[in-house]
Amino acid sequence: MSKKISVILFPILYIVTIIICIYFSYNKGLTGDTGDYFQMAENLPKLTNNIFPLLYSITIYVISLIGLSTFTSSKIVGLICLLIILSISIRNNFYKKEIILTLGFKIFSIFYFSWSEPLFITLFIVYIYLYHQYEEKKISNIKFIFLASTILFLLFITRYSGLFILISLIIYQFWNYLKDKKINYTLIKTTFISGCLSILYLIFNYLNFGNFFGDRKRFELKNTESFFSQVKNNFITFSHAINPIYTEIDYSILAIRISIIISFLFSILFLFQLIKIKNWILNKSFYRFLITNAIVYFLFILITSLNTKIDGLNFRLLLPSIFIFYFLIIINYIENKRNINIIYILIFLSILINTASVIPSFSN
């Protein structure tokens, strides 16, 4: 498949698949979290709770002002987010083919759900695009500081785990300092401004709701599970999350049990690929920036999942890390002119399996 064809074909397939899932799926992309987001959006500008940050609900509310329902508005948000990612990569020639193929590793499926993840991953891709432009000296330092600190703040008010991306930037600066013995004042200023904005939002939360990160019951320790059980369950969900073609886990369906076994194999192959290209990653600062974000984000999500009632290492929580891991592997395939037919096959499988999993006649 030629580069030109894949750049045109796959985005069309993603959009068509998302629309099919919205119209014909059994749950319309609605989950337990959706109810909280919709309630927050429907009550705006009145503030009702801070179980989740406000930005995703605000986007739904703004679109609904033209007379649309919150449901329809949430679907429009998802499609707009996908179009923004495609626009950034195609119009600006920012790893065009690589990003389009990475989306096909089941990431496209999140844009069907009424979650904050479509907005979160879109902002995250904008963030890494800005850093790439800064590193390539295609954007001024002042412009980068303003835009990047704003995006980092928006990530935080989309999902509280956006704080981990800010922490990643701090660790990346420390790594660079150990390596080059130079202080990057542009990144320090970006960190400081976004950190101050995030603190202001936490103060806003406390003044309005009496806590910083939402309902405190969500952060109680999991006393009902042993540490071993938590580690085992996290390992299962992680191996399933990291496989490139399927997002759901349902232990009552034999086919899905088989997919979990396949997921273990995928995770082994996937991690082996990363180890194989680690020197290639470390030799370029942009790739070091990406891998720092992926690893730091993953570790903080792991720590959070072991100490709170927040879900384990599932696909949604690990989305930024998984995106980077897929992205780096595909970049390596393309840069080294390796045969990427296996990637095309996995993308088509992902489209078929994720679509079939939410259509009643297939999923029942």
Side-chain angles (χ1 to χ4, degrees):
M1 185 180 293
S2 71
K3 180 176 180 179
K4 187 174 181 180
I5 292 174
S6 64
V7 168
I8 296 172
L9 175 62
F10 284 115
I12 293 173
L13 280 175
Y14 302 155
I15 293 170
V16 170
T17 302
I18 291 164
I19 293 172
I20 288 172
C21 289
I22 290 172
Y23 278 95
F24 298 103
S25 67
Y26 64 88
N27 66 357
K28 307 298 181 185
L30 306 177
T31 66
D33 289 346
T34 302
D36 292 309
Y37 286 122
F38 282 8
Q39 183 186 53
M40 291 168 68
E42 289 166 358
N43 284 291
L44 286 171
K46 180 182 177 181
L47 304 176
T48 53
N49 67 71
N50 66 334
I51 188 171
F52 299 116
L54 281 171
L55 188 60
Y56 178 58
S57 295
I58 289 173
T59 60
I60 295 174
Y61 169 73
V62 169
I63 293 177
S64 70
L65 291 177
I66 63 174
L68 300 175
S69 67
T70 51
F71 170 81
T72 303
S73 299
S74 71
K75 300 310 176 187
I76 291 175
V77 170
L79 288 171
I80 289 174
C81 285
L82 178 58
L83 291 174
I84 289 172
I85 294 172
L86 294 173
S87 176
I88 288 173
S89 61
I90 294 172
R91 291 185 61 187
N92 298 295
N93 199 28
F94 174 62
Y95 290 97
K96 181 167 52 180
K97 186 176 181 181
E98 292 85 346
I99 285 181
I100 289 172
L101 295 180
T102 302
L103 290 174
F105 274 10
K106 81 183 179 183
I107 291 174
F108 78 94
S109 64
I110 67 164
F111 297 94
Y112 143 72
F113 288 95
S114 296
W115 290 336
S116 61
E117 276 75 14
L119 180 58
F120 192 69
I121 194 63
T122 302
L123 290 168
F124 183 66
I125 291 172
V126 172
Y127 170 62
I128 63 175
Y129 167 73
L130 286 172
Y131 180 80
H132 181 267
Q133 294 298 96
Y134 162 72
E135 194 169 88
E136 295 292 316
K137 303 189 184 307
K138 295 179 180 179
I139 185 174
S140 67
N141 288 358
I142 293 175
K143 191 174 182 180
F144 172 79
I145 291 168
F146 173 75
L147 292 175
S149 58
T150 300
I151 294 298
L152 281 166
F153 173 63
L154 293 178
L155 280 164
F156 179 62
I157 64 172
T158 302
R159 292 188 63 85
Y160 290 124
S161 59
L163 180 64
F164 303 154
I165 295 173
L166 178 59
I167 294 172
S168 301
L169 181 59
I170 296 170
I171 293 174
Y172 175 68
Q173 292 173 70
F174 183 67
W175 184 5
N176 280 346
Y177 176 75
L178 292 178
K179 185 176 182 296
D180 302 324
K181 303 302 180 184
K182 293 181 181 178
I183 297 175
N184 188 318
Y185 290 100
T186 298
L187 295 186
I188 288 177
K189 291 172 184 176
T190 302
T191 304
F192 178 75
I193 293 172
S194 56
C196 289
L197 291 172
S198 299
I199 290 171
L200 288 175
Y201 185 75
L202 291 177
I203 294 171
F204 166 84
N205 267 354
Y206 187 80
L207 293 177
N208 283 277
F209 305 104
N211 54 66
F212 295 109
F213 291 100
D215 186 356
R216 290 182 179 276
K217 291 180 180 179
R218 298 169 68 236
F219 296 90
E220 292 173 355
L221 292 177
K222 295 179 179 178
N223 296 322
T224 57
E225 284 189 279
S226 68
F227 180 78
F228 175 77
S229 295
Q230 291 180 57
V231 171
K232 180 191 72 175
N233 291 334
N234 271 318
F235 184 69
I236 291 173
T237 52
F238 169 72
S239 65
H240 202 84
I242 207 170
N243 90 75
I245 62 174
Y246 192 70
T247 57
E248 300 290 330
I249 293 181
D250 186 340
Y251 294 102
S252 65
I253 302 175
L254 178 61
I256 311 306
R257 289 179 178 174
I258 294 172
S259 81
I260 293 173
I261 296 172
I262 295 172
S263 293
F264 278 111
L265 298 177
F266 266 127
S267 64
I268 292 169
L269 292 172
F270 190 66
L271 295 173
F272 174 76
Q273 283 284 327
L274 287 173
I275 292 170
K276 185 178 177 181
I277 63 175
K278 66 178 176 60
N279 290 331
W280 169 82
I281 292 172
L282 298 178
N283 284 335
K284 187 170 181 178
S285 58
F286 177 61
Y287 300 157
R288 290 201 308 272
F289 170 77
L290 292 178
I291 204 68
T292 303
N293 276 276
I295 293 173
V296 173
Y297 191 89
F298 169 80
L299 290 175
F300 274 90
I301 289 293
L302 174 61
I303 293 168
T304 303
S305 69
L306 291 174
N307 290 281
T308 71
K309 288 185 175 181
I310 294 174
D311 295 334
L313 303 180
N314 61 34
F315 178 66
R316 288 178 62 189
L317 288 179
L318 292 176
L319 183 58
S321 296
I322 290 173
F323 173 83
I324 289 174
F325 291 152
Y326 292 165
F327 186 44
L328 287 170
I329 288 174
I330 291 175
I331 290 174
N332 182 261
Y333 264 77
I334 292 174
E335 283 192 2
N336 291 284
K337 295 180 170 51
R338 298 167 66 185
N339 190 330
I340 61 172
N341 287 334
I342 183 63
I343 292 174
Y344 294 138
I345 292 170
L346 290 174
I347 289 173
F348 281 116
L349 282 173
S350 177
I351 292 170
L352 289 173
I353 293 173
N354 280 284
T355 304
S357 70
V358 298
I359 303 298
S361 59
F362 289 95
S363 57
N364 289 335

